[in-house]
Structures are given as C-alpha cells and as structure tokens.
Amino acid sequence: METWNQSSDSARNHTPLMVNRRIDEHVEACVRHMATHADRPEMSRYLQRLEREWDLNRAVMVGTAVMGALGLLLGKKDGGRWRVLSAVAAGVLLQHGVFGFGPLSAPLRALGIRSRREIDLEKFAIKALRGDFERIPNDGGPMAKANAALVAAQS
C-alpha cells in the first residue's frame, strides 16, 4: 500500500519523504485496524475524533497568534524589543497564507500534524469501510477492503 496517497498539497510537497511516509503509515494502520477489528459504532466514534483533529493550518494560525500576542505583551513590559516577535509571527503567517507552507510548518509536520486533505482522506476511507459509499467491494477480506477504501478516498 505504498502508493495509495497521491495527494499533492503544499504540506506534502514541502515535507521530507520520511515524515510523509510516517504519516501515511499511521493512516494505513488505522484503516487496517478499522477494517479488521472495528464495528460501525467504533468507526463512527473514530470519525468524530478525526473531525476534532487540528490540521496544519489551524496549528500554524494558533501558533503564530500566540507568538504575536506574546511579542506584544513582552514588548509592553520591556520597552518594545519583544515586538519583533510579533513582526516575525506576522511574517510567518503571511508566508504560510501565500505559499501554504512556512518555517513553523516543518516542525509541526515532524510532530505528525496533518493537512486537512490528509485527515479527510482518512475520514473518507473509514466512511467507505463503514458502508457509506457503494464503490467499495465487500469481497476479498478486510485487507482488500482497506486498500479499496484508501484508493476510493483518494479519487
């Protein structure tokens, strides 16, 4: 199942292959577990958890907002030198908004923070396993169903 994730977003394009593979392997393991061990209620609970998962954009926005606020607060006490941190936060946020990736994104990706597209791929694969779509064949066993769900989610 090495090539199921053919998505092309800024996060994946600017992330080392090893990090992308680790994220993909996590998704594969979860989908395989759901295909072999989970029932519909467990899949539904897991989908709710995926709905609450923070994506890369949200993590970057919150991180830069914290950096900006910290710069303003420390700058007020310290005579303004810390306000540079607010300017850096604004620059990071601008770069992320324009290019879809910035310097704060790399460490967040290394921590396993996924793009919205990656989270959605897993959600669609789990929904396919749960039977929400008609395109997934029921024959071939759980591993074949997991593979078919991942491929269907990608298309």
Side-chain angles (χ1 to χ4, degrees):
M1 273 175 52
E2 199 169 315
T3 61
W4 68 269
N5 192 350
Q6 300 296 320
S7 66
S8 177
D9 59 22
S10 296
R12 289 188 71 83
N13 292 340
H14 290 91
T15 301
L17 185 60
M18 207 166 72
V19 174
N20 284 336
R21 279 192 183 152
R22 191 174 70 232
I23 289 171
D24 292 346
E25 288 169 0
H26 170 75
V27 171
E28 289 172 16
C30 289
V31 172
R32 285 179 177 161
H33 172 78
M34 291 292 163
T36 56
H37 297 84
D39 55 3
R40 284 184 63 85
E42 184 179 348
M43 289 181 194
S44 296
R45 285 189 299 275
Y46 187 71
L47 285 167
Q48 288 173 350
R49 191 175 124 212
L50 288 175
E51 288 291 333
R52 292 187 305 271
E53 183 176 336
W54 281 29
D55 64 36
L56 182 64
N57 287 335
R58 185 177 186 185
V60 167
M61 285 188 284
V62 169
T64 54
V66 168
M67 282 175 37
L70 187 63
L72 289 175
L73 287 173
L74 292 174
K76 188 175 181 179
K77 285 184 170 187
D78 195 3
R81 290 183 302 176
W82 279 97
R83 290 190 183 145
V84 170
L85 185 59
S86 296
V88 169
V92 167
L93 189 57
L94 179 65
Q95 182 180 6
H96 187 81
V98 171
F99 299 111
F101 203 78
L104 189 56
S105 302
L108 291 173
R109 291 284 293 168
L111 290 173
I113 305 292
R114 301 185 286 172
S115 69
R116 174 52 44 197
R117 175 138 171 80
E118 290 169 328
I119 295 168
D120 287 345
L121 283 173
E122 183 176 1
K123 282 177 17 186
F124 292 134
I126 301 297
K127 286 179 179 183
L129 286 174
R130 191 173 65 174
D132 292 5
F133 310 119
E134 295 179 8
R135 292 180 60 185
I136 306 303
N138 286 327
D139 55 338
M143 297 312 269
K145 285 174 62 176
N147 287 342
L150 287 167
V151 170
Q154 181 63 37
S155 59

